[in-house]
Amino acid sequence: MTVLRVVLRHDVGARGRDAFHFTDLLGHDVVKLRHREARREFLELEVGDDVVVAKNGIHPLHMRFRADDLRNLSFRGAATADQHVCRNWHECAPFGSFLRAMVAVRSGSGKVPWALHPVSVQCPTMDPVRVRFAPSPTGYLHVGGGRTALFNWLYARHHGGTFILRIEDTDRTRSTGEAIEQIFASLRWLGLDWDEVYRQTDRFDRHREVAADLVRQGAAYESDGAVWFRVPPHGVTTIPDLLAGDVTVQHTELKDYVILRSDTTPTYNFACVVDDHDMGITHVIRGAEHLNNSPKQLLIYHVLGWSPPQFAHVPLILGPDRSKLSKRHGAGSVLDYDERGILPEALVNFLARLGWSHGDQEVFSREELVALFDLPGVNTSAAVFDDEKLLWLNHEWLRRLEPHRLGELLAERIVVRGVADRAAVKDIGREKLARAAVLLRERGRTLVEMADRARPYLPGSVELSADAQDLCTPELRSALREVAMRTEALRDPSAQEFEIVLRRAADELGLPMKSLAPAVRVAVSGARVGPGLYDLLAVIGPEIVAARLRTAAGGEKKG
RNA sequence: GUCCCCGUCGUCCAGUGGUCUAGGAUACCGGGCUUUCAAUCCGGCGACGGGGGUUCGAAUCCCCCCGGGGACACCA
């Protein structure tokens, strides 16, 4: 048994929102401190001698304090249970079974000073986290689904839990095998590996069996060939959502709904409950569009006597028009981003930051995300997908990649984009590819942009635009010939050596670098803009440089 | 229409009653550096939806309004 100690230091701050609670992962034996007058600065939690969390901690166990449960606490002190503290979630150490806390309390609503009192809370031993991503294979996986998958995956990995992939293919008319393959490919590309995978269609017998139980006990009935769940006519159902807080729905708002279609296949709201239960799901992390389904599902848990998982409905991703991101917003498929030359590292980073944050940090590696991600950092408002920022992040990640790996990605892309064939790419070698990639990535935001500008680094000639040709006056042409000659004398020159050669040539020919440099650049690369000239020349190599200089100097249209 | 959720710069976030003349990022606009572009550095533009409360004090708590979104299927 681990003893945790929560110390409330000082009393500052209030946040009278139901959305902020302390809860354990299973929702068992939880305690909520009334947050009305909640005040506190931070919690300090300890496991044994190790302090495991302070403000904005990153720990796996969310303690939830409920006002009602406070009465069950043993107070060492004179406090009564209906005055207290604390809002905000916080986490305790992993797998604690006992919690001792110091809570700030006061015995009146007036200006009675706060006092610290110790409390003890019995916590159940935590079951390991089991979460699932449950896409419906009716189309490609778009970024909204990708983010839901990511959040689930991160949550599982952060807590050392299990990430389950469940294909929700109960709608046999709309589900396709192709879509399933797409989903697998998308998750693989994002780097979200799953520990278990299920197909709902494989479990129809089980669904029918549970439906029959429901009918037998009168909780469901058959009508017109379908089986309907009977919603209690009165009362309310409250979903304790980890993000939205308690969401209460009147039963009068709900209608009886179909759980088994007339073809005996189960529907979503039913199959989902049976499977989540059977698979031992501890946390249902899904898009906010499902919030309204939760009461229906909770009702089934109740009549079956099953304990429900914890729910966390994550905010939606919106398109530029502020409606839920969907296929009609264009490039929504996860794999489209691959095609656009976006790195999975960048998309993962971007998606994580849409609705989740860790202070002001913007760039996160996968490892950092696993270490830092947790539900308390997730916010509740919908976010607009901003392509510009994605591009910026992609550039950041391009610049962080190991050069040789980037070179390989570039090579692939060069071939795909038809900039050169595989043989030409192979010809320049791994080393040069990496060096070229390093130059290219400074001015390209995607692999596609890089590949499309890679021509100068590949063997063969470059095409000079008419505009570029104009740069080469007769005077410069002879200068280019001179530079070509001097270049040929070089053996594997570095950028510095190229600089010396050019400067000396310019000097001796009485030409300012301002006119020689652009001419050389255009002659060698075909473009007026690009990387630092000497770096460019060094990567391309003296042979090709000299050849291209001579071609340009010769005045032919094609080099 | 009904119910539910949400509401800080154009966009993404920080902010958990005083440290906020509101911070970071992106985008945009100037300037420096440079053979170009990029990177980088410096500077700038730019937000607490509105109204009432509570409080000595509110971006933060409460209420109303407004706005946005989502859900109301034998889709998931």
Side-chain angles (χ1 to χ4, degrees):
Chain A
M1 178 186 285
T2 311
V3 176
L4 308 178
R5 198 171 71 218
V6 181
V7 180
L8 282 121
R9 283 253 210 101
H10 208 102
D11 47 359
V12 186
R15 175 93 178 207
R17 290 196 43 132
D18 254 25
F20 296 87
H21 309 285
F22 283 64
T23 180
D24 73 83
L25 292 178
L26 296 180
H28 294 155
D29 290 326
V30 289
V31 176
K32 174 163 98 190
L33 297 181
R34 186 188 291 161
H35 32 47
R36 253 293 170 80
E37 312 78 9
R39 313 225 151 190
R40 72 115 239 284
E41 193 162 54
F42 62 82
L43 292 171
E44 192 177 273
L45 302 150
E46 303 177 9
V47 185
D49 294 325
D50 303 316
V51 174
V52 295
V53 74
K55 200 171 183 179
N56 295 328
I58 52 167
H59 300 272
L61 190 130
H62 308 162
M63 300 307 298
R64 177 182 191 151
F65 297 87
R66 281 184 197 279
D68 297 343
D69 294 336
L70 251 196
R71 288 182 204 110
N72 302 325
L73 302 183
S74 59
F75 273 77
R76 274 197 329 234
T80 50
D82 48 10
Q83 320 121 9
H84 21 223
V85 203
C86 222
R87 18 66 233 207
N88 218 347
W89 325 11
H90 247 278
E91 296 121 278
C92 292
F95 312 120
S97 54
F98 198 76
L99 170 75
R100 299 181 64 209
M102 294 288 290
V103 296
V105 296
R106 63 181 182 187
S107 47
S109 55
K111 288 175 182 167
V112 181
W114 296 93
L116 291 181
H117 287 269
V119 296
S120 304
V121 185
Q122 189 72 44
C123 301
T125 301
M126 294 292 90
D127 287 344
V129 166
R130 284 175 66 83
V131 294
R132 85 305 198 273
F133 174 56
S136 150
T138 52
Y140 57 72
L141 182 67
H142 63 80
V143 288
R147 191 193 56 167
T148 301
L150 175 64
F151 278 17
N152 275 283
W153 183 84
L154 286 173
Y155 194 74
R157 295 294 172 257
H158 176 77
H159 292 288
T162 305
F163 176 59
I164 295 159
L165 178 58
R166 187 172 72 218
I167 305 296
E168 307 239 327
D169 53 352
T170 61
D171 183 343
R172 289 150 115 180
T173 57
R174 293 173 63 220
S175 300
T176 67
E178 198 183 325
I180 294 178
E181 282 313 313
Q182 267 263 356
I183 290 167
F184 286 165
S186 299
L187 293 177
R188 273 192 217 105
W189 183 74
L190 285 170
L192 309 184
D193 56 319
W194 53 93
D195 304 309
E196 298 171 20
V197 60
Y198 303 96
R199 263 237 222 181
Q200 239 162 12
T201 43
D202 294 336
R203 297 177 39 78
F204 280 179
D205 288 346
R206 167 65 175 156
H207 300 137
R208 290 178 188 125
E209 175 190 317
V210 177
D213 282 348
L214 250 18
V215 171
R216 214 168 296 129
Q217 68 178 88
Y221 58 91
E222 199 169 333
S223 172
D224 297 333
V227 178
W228 299 70
F229 182 79
R230 200 190 303 278
V231 174
H234 308 295
V236 301
T237 290
T238 298
I239 308 103
D241 190 273
L242 257 18
L243 262 22
D246 289 351
V247 178
T248 299
V249 176
Q250 307 281 333
H251 290 170
T252 49
E253 295 297 330
L254 270 25
K255 292 183 292 192
D256 288 358
Y257 56 94
V258 170
I259 58 176
L260 238 46
R261 300 185 183 92
S262 33
D263 67 358
T264 76
T265 59
T267 58
Y268 165 73
N269 279 126
F270 179 60
C272 181
V273 169
V274 174
D275 290 351
D276 283 341
H277 171 266
D278 287 359
M279 293 171 192
I281 302 300
T282 57
H283 294 73
V284 170
I285 301 170
R286 63 190 4 167
E289 74 268 26
H290 288 294
L291 188 53
N292 291 288
N293 286 318
S294 299
K296 294 182 190 176
Q297 299 182 190
L298 217 44
L299 248 14
I300 297 179
Y301 281 100
H302 290 332
V303 300
L304 255 12
W306 293 346
S307 80
Q310 300 256 309
F311 293 98
H313 289 92
V314 304
L316 263 20
I317 296 181
L318 274 24
D321 64 351
R322 304 203 65 89
S323 69
K324 185 169 84 163
L325 195 66
S326 68
K327 308 188 176 168
R328 70 191 159 74
H329 287 105
S333 153
V334 166
L335 294 179
D336 285 344
Y337 289 88
D338 180 23
E339 203 172 311
R340 283 177 53 192
I342 301 292
L343 261 13
E345 288 89 338
L347 189 59
V348 162
N349 189 159
F350 179 76
L351 255 18
R353 279 288 288 113
L354 231 44
W356 174 85
S357 61
H358 179 71
D360 281 338
Q361 188 174 341
E362 296 286 352
V363 181
F364 296 88
S365 69
R366 182 179 302 272
E367 294 68 31
E368 282 178 295
L369 288 174
V370 168
L372 298 172
F373 182 86
D374 209 349
L375 257 12
V378 176
N379 67 203
T380 50
S381 49
V384 174
F385 191 98
D386 181 8
D387 224 58
E388 280 298 327
K389 191 152 182 182
L390 204 214
L391 254 15
W392 168 75
L393 253 184
N394 200 54
H395 190 208
E396 289 297 313
W397 277 104
L398 244 17
R399 297 171 66 191
R400 281 171 165 76
L401 275 197
E402 193 279 316
H404 291 93
R405 176 164 152 59
L406 183 64
E408 284 159 23
L409 293 177
L410 176 63
E412 246 169 63
R413 200 61 66 150
I414 286 172
V415 176
V416 171
R417 298 288 298 173
V419 176
D421 58 28
R422 205 166 285 282
V425 171
K426 202 169 172 199
D427 197 43
I428 75 170
R430 186 175 140 81
E431 213 50 49
K432 284 230 157 147
L433 221 31
R435 290 173 69 190
V438 166
L439 294 188
L440 249 11
R441 72 173 167 189
E442 285 302 323
R443 322 118 258 247
R445 296 200 293 181
T446 66
L447 286 172
V448 169
E449 284 178 13
M450 286 172 63
D452 290 353
R453 292 172 192 163
R455 186 66 266 222
Y457 304 90
L458 294 156
S461 57
V462 291
E463 202 163 319
L464 269 57
S465 63
D467 170 55
Q469 294 264 335
D470 293 345
L471 261 177
C472 302
T473 60
E475 188 187 16
L476 279 169
R477 285 178 202 281
S478 65
L480 292 184
R481 240 171 258 123
E482 179 63 29
V483 172
M485 236 166 68
R486 297 183 184 206
T487 297
E488 278 156 353
L490 266 25
R491 224 185 87 251
D492 194 23
S494 64
Q496 289 72 20
E497 289 170 88
F498 262 116
E499 176 164 8
I500 291 165
V501 167
L502 281 202
R503 286 196 186 280
R504 189 167 296 159
D507 197 42
E508 289 170 18
L509 294 169
L511 271 172
M513 277 304 283
K514 263 200 191 311
S515 38
L516 180 61
V520 172
R521 170 187 300 285
V522 159
V524 171
S525 74
R528 310 179 76 131
V529 300
L533 182 57
Y534 315 121
D535 291 324
L536 180 71
L537 298 178
V539 171
I540 293 173
E543 297 80 8
I544 295 177
V545 167
R548 289 181 185 167
L549 285 174
R550 285 190 188 284
T551 307
E556 291 154 41
K557 287 287 174 206
K558 294 261 169 116

